[in-house]
Amino acid sequence: MNTMRKVLVPVIVFSSFGLQAMTFDQLSKSLDESTQVIDCRSSNYYNGWPEIGAKQGGHYPGAVNLDAQWLGMIEDSAFKQLLVDKQLKVDQPTYLYCAQADSQRVEKALLSQGFRSVKAIEEPLSNYSGSLTALPQFQQLVSPEWVKQVIDGQQPLYAPKKGYKLVEVAWGPPTKYLVSHIPTALYLNTNNIETKPLWNRVSNEKLTTLMQDLGIRYDTTVILYGRDNMAAARAASIMMYAGVEDVRLLNGGWKSWVNAGFASEPMLQKTDKVMDFGRDIPANPELIIDMAEAKAILDGAPQNNSLVSIRSWDEYLGKISGYHYIKPKGRIPGAKWGHGGSDANSLEDFRNPDDTMKSADEIEHFWHQWEIDRDQKVSFYCGTGWRASETFFYAYVMGWKDISVYDGGWYEWSGIKTNPTLVGPA
């Protein structure tokens, strides 16, 4: 990440222009289309994890997530762009809620950007009598605090039922892992789940052996994280394909663990092997598809099917291939652009400033613009599967049902000369 500087807030006395103190129930009765509500807590609480002492997790319906902690992570220009991305308007009445010190920071930052009417809701969200909004599968996207409790032998909400394995995932030898990793974490080299020449998933036989070597059965809870969570998500999609019933992803990856201030440990962790995965692999073959199935999606009605390109806009247009080892440029005809990042190694469109998952509302907003909807058969692809896998996992926790990863992606498709390709404007 580039060197960052905190958002600068001038020492000026601002006015909220008469916004009245409000409770959540009062807000519900007076809410109209012009009112904006900001949840300035952690995205994990926003997604559905209850705060300490609360019985229900999630966010006030329609609230936009803008974690107060992000203010110290981004430059002024990035903060302005964040407000644009979240469709927050300076001239609309804005209510926000989080811890008092955090809400004061966010309020000042918003007012410094020209927001005219900002007011903090001072009562706890738990006082709200209505139903909160949460990701349907929020428990699969876990916080560093949850992981810490599991490691410490506690029984947090949605704790593993039949043992767990914590695994750091990356490409190549465990160089960084050996210096410092989350305590008890094993290491998985992505070369053990992908194979040349196309970097597709390895054979079912090799997957079976890998699961046994890691000590993973189908009913083991597997918690995955990466220095870049694309690698961890690639492993997640393959393990779900294999048949692991409870796969968790650490929201924000390694960075979130470090930001939480938790301890790490060096050296390699070893695990006891298991003799049997417990079921035939793949138990869920529909989660990762190959070229014939991708073509079948394209041949179906566009309103019922979406083959989704998770690549940069320049890759989609064919200005670049995105990879030094992939020469052809362009896109698969009929594929819809599902967004990505600035290049083949980035996924900014799906990540908050702390690398946690963006809100479902934000993601679905730009998908709807490309007629990508949750009631369709949807398969995600990128160059070789990493970006598509992270997006697939986000769609999974968002409650999307008929989803998959097209394993071969652009690398496989473009390598066959008889396959049609497109370049230029969509």
Side-chain angles (χ1 to χ4, degrees), residues 57-269:
H59 59 272
Y60 181 85
V64 173
N65 189 211
L66 200 164
D67 186 348
Q69 304 309 311
W70 300 342
L71 297 178
M73 300 178 181
I74 55 178
E75 298 176 351
D76 296 355
S77 59
F79 182 57
K80 291 179 181 179
Q81 185 59 50
L82 184 67
L83 298 176
V84 172
D85 292 344
K86 293 184 178 293
Q87 302 181 70
L88 293 169
K89 310 296 184 184
V90 298
D91 58 350
Q92 293 181 355
T94 304
Y95 288 91
L96 54 88
Y97 63 92
C98 55
Q100 184 177 12
D102 288 339
S103 65
Q104 290 174 348
R105 290 178 62 203
V106 176
E107 181 177 353
K108 289 181 179 179
L110 292 174
L111 291 171
S112 74
Q113 296 297 325
F115 279 67
R116 300 173 186 173
S117 304
V118 184
K119 188 75 174 180
I121 300 175
E122 297 181 358
E123 73 166 348
L125 183 59
S126 58
N127 284 9
Y128 176 52
S129 63
S131 297
L132 300 179
T133 301
L135 293 175
Q137 299 284 354
F138 73 85
Q139 68 273 13
Q140 305 308 124
L141 193 63
V142 300
S143 68
E145 290 78 13
W146 184 89
V147 174
K148 179 69 162 55
Q149 288 180 302
V150 170
I151 293 171
D152 290 345
Q154 301 177 30
Q155 286 293 309
L157 189 66
Y158 298 104
K161 294 180 179 179
K162 294 188 177 181
Y164 77 94
K165 297 295 180 185
L166 175 62
V167 186
E168 179 174 321
V169 188
W171 176 79
T175 307
K176 294 181 179 178
Y177 166 92
L178 289 174
V179 175
S180 181
H181 58 264
I182 298 177
T184 76
L186 306 173
Y187 183 77
L188 173 59
N189 184 340
T190 56
N191 286 332
N192 291 323
I193 55 175
E194 301 177 314
T195 185
K196 294 180 179 180
L198 298 175
W199 299 111
N200 284 1
R201 65 196 182 279
V202 297
S203 68
N204 297 329
E205 293 74 22
K206 288 185 177 180
L207 276 181
T208 300
T209 300
L210 175 66
M211 297 295 104
Q212 293 172 342
D213 288 346
L214 288 172
I216 295 172
R217 285 176 46 84
Y218 76 92
D219 55 359
T220 303
T221 294
V222 180
I223 308 164
L224 301 164
Y225 76 93
R227 313 282 164 155
D228 184 328
N229 252 12
M230 279 191 279
R234 178 62 163 156
S237 68
I238 290 176
M239 289 186 180
M240 292 166 68
Y241 160 89
V244 178
E245 292 181 338
D246 186 13
V247 177
R248 316 286 183 104
L249 187 68
L250 175 56
N251 195 19
W254 168 254
K255 181 188 291 186
S256 71
W257 183 265
V258 173
N259 288 344
F262 294 140
S264 60
E265 66 180 16
M267 304 308 294
L268 188 66
Q269 286 284 337

Side-chain angles (χ1 to χ4, degrees), residues 341-369:
S342 55
D343 56 39
N345 299 310
S346 306
L347 208 59
E348 300 102 324
D349 292 350
F350 294 89
R351 295 179 180 176
N352 293 314
D354 58 357
D355 281 353
T356 56
M357 172 190 166
K358 277 190 177 180
S359 73
D361 286 345
E362 291 177 81
I363 295 171
E364 289 186 334
H365 174 73
F366 57 66
W367 280 351
H368 287 163
Q369 294 175 331

Side-chain angles (χ1 to χ4, degrees), residues 4-25:
M4 299 298 182
R5 57 191 177 90
K6 295 184 178 180
V7 176
L8 299 178
V9 182
V11 182
I12 303 175
V13 177
F14 296 100
S15 171
S16 61
F17 289 91
L19 278 186
Q20 300 299 311
M22 191 82 70
T23 68
F24 287 103
D25 286 341

Side-chain angles (χ1 to χ4, degrees), residues 292-358:
E293 295 156 303
K295 289 182 175 180
I297 288 176
L298 290 170
D299 290 340
Q303 67 270 23
N304 298 324
N305 299 276
S306 289
L307 184 65
V308 182
S309 175
I310 305 299
R311 305 165 73 208
S312 69
W313 183 236
D314 283 349
E315 288 175 272
Y316 185 80
L317 295 181
K319 294 182 178 180
I320 58 174
S321 77
Y323 302 80
H324 68 85
Y325 54 86
I326 301 178
K327 302 306 179 185
K329 303 173 184 178
R331 63 182 179 274
I332 300 173
K336 303 173 184 179
W337 187 53
H339 282 244
S342 55
D343 56 39
N345 299 310
S346 306
L347 208 59
E348 300 102 324
D349 292 350
F350 294 89
R351 295 179 180 176
N352 293 314
D354 58 357
D355 281 353
T356 56
M357 172 190 166
K358 277 190 177 180

Side-chain angles (χ1 to χ4, degrees), residues 303 306 367-368 371-378 400:
Q303 67 270 23
S306 289
W367 280 351
H368 287 163
E371 299 182 344
I372 304 165
D373 296 299
R374 63 170 55 239
D375 58 352
Q376 299 172 339
K377 177 186 285 291
V378 178
W400 289 43

